[in-house]
């Protein structure tokens, strides 16, 4: 089974703090993603990476950055946390296969509260 | 207009009923179609995926794609309380990294 592991399930941070969310996948997938999920807004893509050291902005990259130094690890960084970044953050990974398209596999989610 | 439309529900049905969940889309370039199930406070898990048109069955679940109508469906037979969750549809173009997501439908199966 594909395993995507997010290091922290629940975090509480103060406004202005730098926050790191870590994600590791064990299936040698090329692609990795960070989403946030909010009630009524669905899943929104923050950043994705299709290779080591490569990154692409998603729909809502403002206030976030990412790092992918190793294939299996993709980190999301909130440079200066703000209350409007309180959300559930989901990491995912995928490979692009001829029959599976871009089916992605999610971690359990990280619930971040910024106070 | 969103590229993928999905009724957020909630949809409440009695145990044992057949459930039909649907998404419509506007971009005819979509070729891969997926259904994910998400339990409360958990990450989405892949239920089924299909390529292009047709049906795909897996146990009590059937995924159906009608590209001419730009409409996809997920049917759940003999629904169980454990099927209560939010169901998200997603789709992508060929050789594209990104999925386009529906908003998710909250399903409640009443015992």
């Amino acid at each position: 089974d594909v395993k995507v592991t997010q290091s922290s399930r629940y975090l509480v941070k103060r406004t202005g703090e730098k926050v790191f969310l870590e994600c590791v996948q064990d299936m040698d997938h090329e692609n990795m993603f960070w989403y946030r999920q909010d009630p009524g807004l669905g899943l929104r893509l923050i950043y994705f990476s299709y290779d080591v050291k490569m990154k692409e902005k998603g729909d809502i990259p403002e206030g976030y950055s990412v790092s992918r130094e190793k294939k299996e690890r993709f980190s999301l960084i909130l440079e200066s946390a703000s209350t409007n970044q309180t959300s559930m953050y989901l990491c995912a990974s995928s490979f692009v296969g001829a029959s599976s398209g871009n089916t992605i596999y999610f971690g359990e989610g990280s619930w971040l509260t910024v106070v | 207009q969103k590229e993928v439309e999905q009724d957020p529900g909630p949809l409440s049905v009695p145990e044992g009923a057949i459930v039909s969940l649907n998404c419509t889309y506007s971009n005819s370039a979509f070729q891969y179609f997926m259904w994910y199930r998400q339990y409360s406070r958990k990450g989405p898990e892949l239920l089924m995926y299909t390529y292009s048109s047709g049906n795909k069955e897996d146990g009590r679940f059937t995924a159906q794609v009608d590209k001419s109508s730009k409409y996809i469906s997920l049917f759940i037979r003999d629904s169980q309380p454990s099927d209560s969750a939010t169901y998200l549809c997603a789709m992508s173009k060929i050789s594209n990294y990104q999925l386009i997501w529906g908003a998710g439908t909250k399903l409640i199966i009443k015992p």
Side-chain angles (χ1 to χ4, degrees):
Chain A
D1 280 353
V2 176
K3 186 101 172 139
V4 179
T5 303
Q6 295 182 228
S7 56
S8 304
R9 287 279 281 147
Y10 301 96
L11 309 95
V12 180
K13 298 293 182 180
R14 294 194 181 278
T15 301
E17 274 193 78
K18 191 168 186 175
V19 181
F20 293 87
L21 299 179
E22 307 284 346
C23 175
V24 176
Q25 52 97 0
D26 66 356
M27 284 302 292
D28 201 35
H29 284 169
E30 295 89 355
N31 307 321
M32 296 190 74
F33 307 81
W34 276 105
Y35 287 88
R36 65 178 280 179
Q37 188 176 33
D38 301 285
L41 297 176
L43 281 166
R44 293 183 292 169
L45 182 64
I46 305 171
Y47 267 97
F48 67 99
S49 168
Y50 53 89
D51 201 353
V52 175
K53 297 192 187 293
M54 305 301 289
K55 60 185 179 183
E56 294 283 343
K57 292 180 180 179
D59 301 318
I60 52 163
E62 297 78 20
Y64 303 95
S65 63
V66 291
S67 172
R68 192 164 182 204
E69 296 296 319
K70 294 185 178 181
K71 190 175 185 180
E72 68 272 16
R73 188 178 296 270
F74 193 34
S75 303
L76 180 69
I77 303 151
L78 286 67
E79 296 291 342
S80 177
S82 63
T83 54
N84 63 12
Q85 292 179 310
T86 293
S87 185
M88 179 175 179
Y89 291 87
L90 287 160
C91 176
S93 72
S94 79
F95 69 95
V96 180
S99 61
S100 65
N102 191 19
T103 46
I104 70 173
Y105 299 87
F106 286 90
E108 289 283 90
S110 297
W111 290 86
L112 172 66
T113 301
V114 183
V115 297
Chain B
Q1 184 189 5
K2 293 181 181 178
E3 279 192 282
V4 179
E5 299 278 359
Q6 184 177 13
D7 188 332
L11 175 63
S12 183
V13 301
E15 183 177 355
I18 296 174
V19 176
S20 171
L21 303 166
N22 310 296
C23 289
T24 58
Y25 62 95
S26 57
N27 192 334
S28 58
F30 290 139
Q31 295 284 346
Y32 296 99
F33 304 92
M34 296 133 213
W35 286 96
Y36 286 78
R37 178 176 61 196
Q38 185 176 22
Y39 291 115
S40 180
R41 305 188 79 84
K42 297 281 191 181
E45 57 178 329
L46 178 66
L47 262 183
M48 299 182 73
Y49 68 85
T50 52
Y51 170 67
S52 196
S53 286
N55 291 0
K56 188 172 184 179
E57 191 172 318
D58 184 3
R60 296 184 297 111
F61 298 90
T62 299
Q64 195 172 79
V65 175
D66 181 349
K67 292 190 73 182
S68 62
S69 301
K70 298 191 182 71
Y71 190 89
I72 67 170
S73 300
L74 178 71
F75 298 97
I76 307 174
R77 291 182 299 281
D78 187 25
S79 56
Q80 304 293 312
S82 58
D83 295 326
S84 297
T86 296
Y87 289 80
L88 301 107
C89 64
M91 45 200 80
S92 70
K93 306 169 193 175
I94 289 178
S95 300
N96 189 301
Y97 302 112
Q98 295 195 51
L99 294 182
I100 307 300
W101 293 87
T105 298
K106 184 173 183 177
L107 175 65
I108 300 168
I109 308 296
K110 298 176 294 184

